[in-house]
């Protein structure tokens, strides 16, 4: 019974889509631009059908109600209809227009309920990814495979400031996308390390809040390989707009290769870190790396020239920490500041990058300490 | 019921006398005027902030603002429009109209009335002063979700909290006053079911205010103690829960939505019969529908939080309850259409605004129904689709409603007529601008643009250009409105007839125009009405 | 009712009382919500108290997967992670796993772990016999520790749940709220905690 109903409602949804596309707008392409995204999962397609169903109902009801209104406004205007009628009450009519909408609502609630029950079925995943949000980046941890990485916006600051042209993935591109396999049920556990964020990929119809101290669940199963983009959808502070979600869906075999590659890369990074801290770096080596890291990670708050933005994002130029003892500066960068947007960078950046950015900060913006911070010093402070 | 304005010695300096008169007035008409002027001023301030927002969103990239300042503008725009423009405007209308409509000489508690108004300017000075503080104004959205507003809020958050407390006290006192007035001050013969619908909607609004505003006060108090006194209501570390904040907030927030719309329903229900020259269709079902909407508004708050990780059962409950609201709302719309049906309709400016209200509010209602479907809400939630939805409900509902009321009753208040031609131009430009601004937002939302973003993907650029152009036009229409009002008050055609609109019914139209400062000292006689006789007996 | 009892003054008092009552109701929502969460498992809250092993009826043959995850909250200078990512456990059987923590800061830092279970309605079926989240954890500068969690899955666990996730978020406890451990009571106060923005 529910199955056949579901089929009927899906069909009506499809029918509405066809009507919308054919009659509503001149061009199918235009209709698509105005439509909810179809997406690439069964759920997203069912959600789109539901959208079409409810939109179709609204359009039909709208045509009836507004049609009646415009008809009466035209034909019962005073110049055509000088004597108003006297009626002003009718209980049968009131009952009719209470019951009919109720029935229409029930007709919409049934497919919505069936779809919702399926969406909320998080059981038996093939793969679990822990998504941890923080201002303003995502961290993905593959629970079974035990690999994890941060995913940062990769659009250059110059594009945001209109100094260079914006390409089609403007502010929807990241350094490390989440990678998942096709045809597998991927379960997402969402949480946050600071404020509430919300992880959204429109093409999967997955949107779930990431709440500090709690975990939420969502899942998807994608059949079509590709790159899918979304954004954070809960206001999470200054750079809420600059917190994209990018998911790369790979065929299963390629995904396994990718996992292997990640393991190898992690091992190589470990070796590189040992090599980095076993030698002494020069100012000339560290400064360009530091500048790069600073622009990518620090400049959104402290600004590219280190002048900061008021008390919440203090200036680094002339700062007591930056010009004070090196150890305190390293600890500040490694561990962050409680109850502020200054986060702990220890899990996010390598010893070399932290050493470089501290060296850069201590020798830029008018700061002139002459200190060269070695990766080894950072390693020892960790 | 002695108006203090009369007792002030006349020999003072005229300016001081003028200030004292308005500062100490307990006259419901003068206080109504004060509320309306304050609301209009704050409407311009909130509107200017919307202009900043739309200017920044005209194109992708950062052009005019920095992200933090943008967030402050978004937050203050919401707070000021909700608490500063819409609510005081409705309280102002209630002050002016409720006593006139029920045949009362004044509000029941005139001194309290004065007090609840004069709290407001201080509340908004506190709120607006936060813009000039170090760390900037509140930047966490008008919904101020914890922990963004508690742990990470700027120092000015405390001024915001105090401001909200003051607004809350003002609204609750105002609401109590309206309620006591309606329950006690009706002229003999003015039974509850003979009250004009505007009075009915305000009675129910007052009830919602008394029930909802204290919950908001509770929420901000918990925020304050979390920020400064070591409690952790909303922080998981101490056993609290950030989602609890959302529950408390929306327990207030959803009734608040109806607080901002019910008086608009009342206004439309006064104006449409006048210009259709036909009695309101289904008076009783209109009242019952309003009561039903008000009661349902307390059990649907969860529909704002579908993505926060609710259990399935709760999602289903809130979905069904929310869909149910469409029924009484639909009844109201159908009744308005039936009122028009076979009337003898003319289209003066107030009528145009009222009809615009009905049509565009219904469009907002449609998107509201779509948002109620939880699976679809996962796609709509926190996108520009939602922004389109609530602006379609609130702009035509609250703003068009208020403007319709001002055009309709201005001749009665001031004794002067507005310029009908300019009024019509105002309506048509405003209608075009509203649709130009808010309709494309549906599409940018469906395409995937989150709300409250300072910057967006180039895929949404076309929609945003249209929205921003519409918003600019909408801003200009407000200046036209101001001009129309000023022109009417200074050089408008004098109205001498008590019955300004031939089809209008109600006690306010029995008073001379302009309405004298003191009216109905002797209760008016209410004619026995045959249509009502049956109900009155019941 | 007499005319007097219906006076505006009385109504004002009653309505004000209603407003004050609603103010109180906002606070009453806090315990109400907690009870609601406990009943429905909303947000995956688990009991903050130790379960007794004696409550177990019997060990069944049914096996479920339990996953362990960890996060640190902003401002917490600890490294914090599970020592194993997942386990197959038999329902009703008492198992132990460990979480590793290391303090990166140079002074003592106190942490409080907050557990959350997913799916939410599974929370009431995961019983912790012993958990580091029951009390504050104190770590000296650069110190590390393995912290045990002893738990069992209730045999009443609904059949449709095959995988549970137990997640801990580690918060830094503000200096003012630190319950000083007896052994450390004589030690100087922690000077590392004075973070100024």
């Amino acid at each position: 019974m529910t199955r056949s109903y579901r089929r009927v409602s899906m069909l009506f949804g499809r029918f509405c889509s066809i009507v919308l596309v054919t009659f509503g707008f001149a061009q199918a392409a235009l209709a698509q631009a105005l439509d909810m995204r179809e997406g690439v999962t069964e759920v997203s397609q069912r959600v789109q059908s539901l959208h079409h169903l409810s939109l179709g109902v609204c359009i039909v009801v709208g045509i009836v109600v507004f049609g009646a209104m415009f008809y009466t406004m035209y034909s019962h205007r005073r110049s055509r209809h000088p004597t108003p009628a006297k009626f002003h009450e009718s209980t049968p009519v009131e009952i009719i227009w209470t019951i009919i909408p109720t029935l229409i609502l029930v007709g919409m609630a049934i497919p919505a309920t069936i779809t919702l029950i399926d969406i909320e079925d998080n059981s038996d995943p093939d793969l679990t990814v822990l998504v941890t949000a923080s201002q303003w980046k995502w961290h993905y941890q593959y629970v079974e495979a035990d690999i994890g990485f941060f995913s940062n916006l990769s659009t250059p600051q110059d594009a945001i400031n209109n100094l260079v042209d914006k390409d089609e993935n403007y502010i929807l591109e990241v350094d490390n996308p989440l990678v998942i396999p096709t045809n597998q049920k991927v379960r997402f556990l969402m949480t946050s390390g600071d404020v509430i964020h919300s992880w959204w990929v429109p093409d999967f119809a997955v949107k779930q809040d990431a709440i500090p101290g709690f975990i939420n669940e969502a899942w998807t199963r994608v059949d079509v390989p590709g790159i899918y983009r979304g954004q954070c959808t809960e206001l999470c502070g200054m750079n809420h707009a600059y917190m994209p979600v990018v998911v790369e869906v790979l065929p299963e075999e390629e995904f396994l290769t990718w996992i292997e590659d990640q393991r190898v890369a992690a091992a190589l990074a470990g070796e590189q870190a040992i090599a980095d801290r076993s030698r002494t770096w020069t100012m000339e080596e560290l400064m360009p790396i530091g500048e790069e890291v600073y622009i990518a990670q620090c400049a959104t708050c402290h600004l590219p020239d280190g002048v900061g933005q008021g008390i919440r994002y203090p200036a680094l130029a002339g700062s007591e920490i930056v010009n004070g003892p090196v150890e305190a500066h390293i600890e500040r960068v490694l561990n962050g500041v409680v109850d502020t947007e200054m986060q702990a960078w220890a899990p996010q950046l390598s010893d070399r990058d932290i050493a470089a950015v501290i060296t850069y900060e201590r020798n830029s913006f008018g700061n002139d300490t002459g200190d060269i911070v070695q990766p080894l010093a950072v390693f020892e402070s960790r | 019921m002695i108006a203090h304005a009369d007792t002030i010695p006349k020999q003072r300096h005229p300016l001081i006398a003028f200030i004292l008169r308005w500062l100490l007035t307990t006259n419901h008409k003068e206080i109504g005027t004060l509320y309306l002027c304050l609301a209009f001023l704050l409407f311009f301030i909130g509107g200017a902030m919307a202009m900043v927002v739309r200017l920044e969103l005209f194109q992708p990239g950062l052009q005019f603002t920095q992200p933090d300042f943008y967030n402050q503008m978004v937050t203050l725009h919401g707070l000021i429009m909700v608490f500063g423009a819409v609510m005081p405007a409705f309280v102002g209308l209630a002050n002016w109209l409720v006593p006139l409509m029920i045949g009362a000489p004044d509000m029941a508690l005139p001194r309290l009335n004065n007090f609840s108004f004069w709290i407001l300017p201080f509340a908004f000075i506190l709120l607006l002063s936060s813009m000039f503080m170090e760390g900037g104004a509140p930047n966490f959205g008008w919904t101020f979700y914890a922990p963004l507003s508690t742990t990470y809020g700027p120092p000015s958050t405390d001024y915001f909290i105090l401001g909200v407390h003051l607004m809350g006290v003002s609204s609750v006192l105002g609401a109590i006053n309206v309620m006591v007035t309606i329950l006690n001050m009706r002229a003999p013969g003015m039974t509850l079911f003979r009250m004009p619908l505007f009075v009915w909607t305000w009675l129910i609004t007052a009830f919602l205010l008394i029930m909802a505003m204290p919950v908001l006060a509770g929420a901000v108090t918990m925020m304050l103690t979390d920020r400064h006194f070591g409690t952790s209501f909303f922080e998981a570390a101490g056993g609290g829960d950030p989602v609890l904040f959302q529950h408390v907030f929306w327990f207030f927030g959803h009734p608040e939505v109806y607080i901002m719309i019910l008086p608009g329903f009342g206004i439309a229900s006064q104006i449409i019969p006048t210009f259709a020259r036909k009695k309101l269709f289904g008076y009783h079902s209109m009242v019952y529908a309003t009561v039903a909407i008000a009661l349902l508004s307390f059990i649907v708050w969860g529909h704002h939080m579908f993505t926060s990780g609710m259990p399935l059962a709760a999602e289903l409950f809130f979905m069904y309850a929310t869909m149910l609201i469409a029924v009484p709302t639909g009844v109201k719309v159908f009744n308005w259409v039936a009122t028009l049906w076979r009337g003898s309709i003319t289209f003066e400016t107030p009528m145009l605004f009222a009809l615009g209200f009905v049509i565009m509010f219904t469009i907002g209602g449609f998107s509201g129904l779509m948002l109620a479907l939880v699976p679809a809400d996962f796609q709509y939630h926190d996108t520009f689709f939602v922004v389109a939805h609530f602006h379609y409900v609130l702009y035509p509902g609250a703003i068009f409603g208020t403007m319709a009321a001002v055009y309709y009753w201005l001749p009665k208040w001031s004794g002067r007529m507005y310029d009908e031609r300019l009024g019509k131009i105002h309506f048509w430009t405003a209608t075009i601008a509203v649709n130009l601004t808010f309709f494309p937002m549906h599409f940018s939302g469906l395409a995937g643009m989150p709300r409250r973003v300072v910057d967006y993907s180039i895929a949404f650029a076309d929609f945003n250009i249209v929205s921003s152009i519409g918003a600019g036009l909408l801003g200009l229409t407000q200046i036209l409105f101001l001009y129309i009002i000023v022109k009417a008050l200074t050089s408008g055609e004098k109205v001498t007839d008590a019955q300004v609109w031939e089809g209008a019914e109600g006690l306010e139209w029995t008073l001379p125009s302009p309405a004298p400062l003191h009216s109905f000292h002797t209760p008016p006689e209410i004619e026995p009405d045959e249509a009502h006789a049956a109900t009155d007996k019941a | 009712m007499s005319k007097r009892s219906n006076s505006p003054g009385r109504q004002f008092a009653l309505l004000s009382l209603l407003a004050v009552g609603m103010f109180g109701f906002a606070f009453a929502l806090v315990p109400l919500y907690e009870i609601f969460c406990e009943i429905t498992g909303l947000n995956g809250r688990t009991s903050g108290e130790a379960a007794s092993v004696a409550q177990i009826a019997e060990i069944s043959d049914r096996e479920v997967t339990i996953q362990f995850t960890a996060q640190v909250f902003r401002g917490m200078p600890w490294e914090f992670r599970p020592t194993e990512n997942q386990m197959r456990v038999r329902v009703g059987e008492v198992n132990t796993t460990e979480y590793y923590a290391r303090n990166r800061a140079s002074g003592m830092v106190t942490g409080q772990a907050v557990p959350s279970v997913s799916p939410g309605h599974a929370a009431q079926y995961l019983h912790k016999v012993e958990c580091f989240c029951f009390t504050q954890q104190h770590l000296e500068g650069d110190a590390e520790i393995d912290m045990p969690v002893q738990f069992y899955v209730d045999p009443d666990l609904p059949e449709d749940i095959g995988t549970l996730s137990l997640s801990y978020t580690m918060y830094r406890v503000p200096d003012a709220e630190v319950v000083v451990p007896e052994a450390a009571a004589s030690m100087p106060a922690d000077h590392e905690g004075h973070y100024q923005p």
Side-chain angles (χ1 to χ4, degrees), chain C residues 39-61:
Chain C
I39 295 169
T40 62
L42 180 72
N43 275 333
R45 275 162 177 261
T46 60
S47 169
E49 281 160 34
S52 143
V53 186
Q55 289 165 354
I56 310 169
E58 57 185 299
I59 298 172
S60 81
D61 290 337

Side-chain angles (χ1 to χ4, degrees), chain B residues 108-109 112 147 151-152 165 172-173 175-177 179-181 183-185 207 210-212 214-219 221-222 225 230-231 233-241 243-244 247-248 251 298 308-311 314, chain C residues 3 6-34 36-37 40-45 73-75 112-114 120-121 169-174 177:
Chain B
L109 309 156
L112 188 74
T151 313
Y152 300 99
H165 267 305
V172 168
L173 292 179
I176 291 177
N177 207 347
M179 210 157 174
V180 176
T181 305
L183 294 179
N184 289 284
M185 308 279 288
F207 174 73
I210 295 168
M211 295 289 285
V215 177
L216 174 69
T221 307
M222 287 185 239
T225 59
T231 61
F233 288 107
F234 307 134
E235 203 192 342
D241 186 343
V243 179
L244 172 65
H247 283 287
V248 179
F251 188 88
F298 284 105
S308 71
M310 262 186 199
Chain C
K3 210 171 164 99
N6 224 353
S7 69
R10 194 183 151 84
Q11 281 177 358
F12 172 73
L14 281 174
L15 291 171
S16 308
L17 211 63
L18 178 64
V20 173
M22 287 309 291
F23 183 71
F25 176 74
F27 289 87
L29 279 172
V30 179
L32 283 176
Y33 179 72
E34 243 154 62
F36 183 74
C37 287
T40 62
L42 180 72
N43 275 333
R45 275 162 177 261
F73 195 73
R74 174 74 52 78
Q112 172 70 55
V114 174
H121 60 289
T169 306
M170 186 60 82
Y171 286 81
R172 184 191 179 115
V173 178
E177 290 161 31

Side-chain angles (χ1 to χ4, degrees), chain A residues 266-343:
Chain A
L268 285 179
E271 283 170 28
Q272 185 64 45
I274 294 169
D276 284 346
R277 65 176 179 260
S278 52
R279 70 179 180 92
T280 307
W281 293 63
T282 63
M283 179 82 89
E284 289 67 35
E285 283 176 302
L286 288 172
M287 285 297 277
I289 303 170
E291 183 172 7
E292 201 177 300
V293 175
Y294 182 84
I295 294 297
Q297 307 286 358
C298 318
T300 47
C301 294
H302 297 289
L303 298 190
D305 48 1
V307 295
Q309 304 182 59
I311 47 170
R312 286 166 57 224
Y313 311 104
L316 300 184
S319 144
E320 275 178 38
I321 294 281
V322 175
N323 294 291
V326 176
E327 293 70 32
H329 191 179
I330 294 176
E331 185 155 336
R332 171 66 52 100
V333 174
L334 283 175
N335 297 331
V337 182
V338 75
D339 290 355
T340 71
E341 281 90 335
M342 179 62 185
Q343 48 204 270

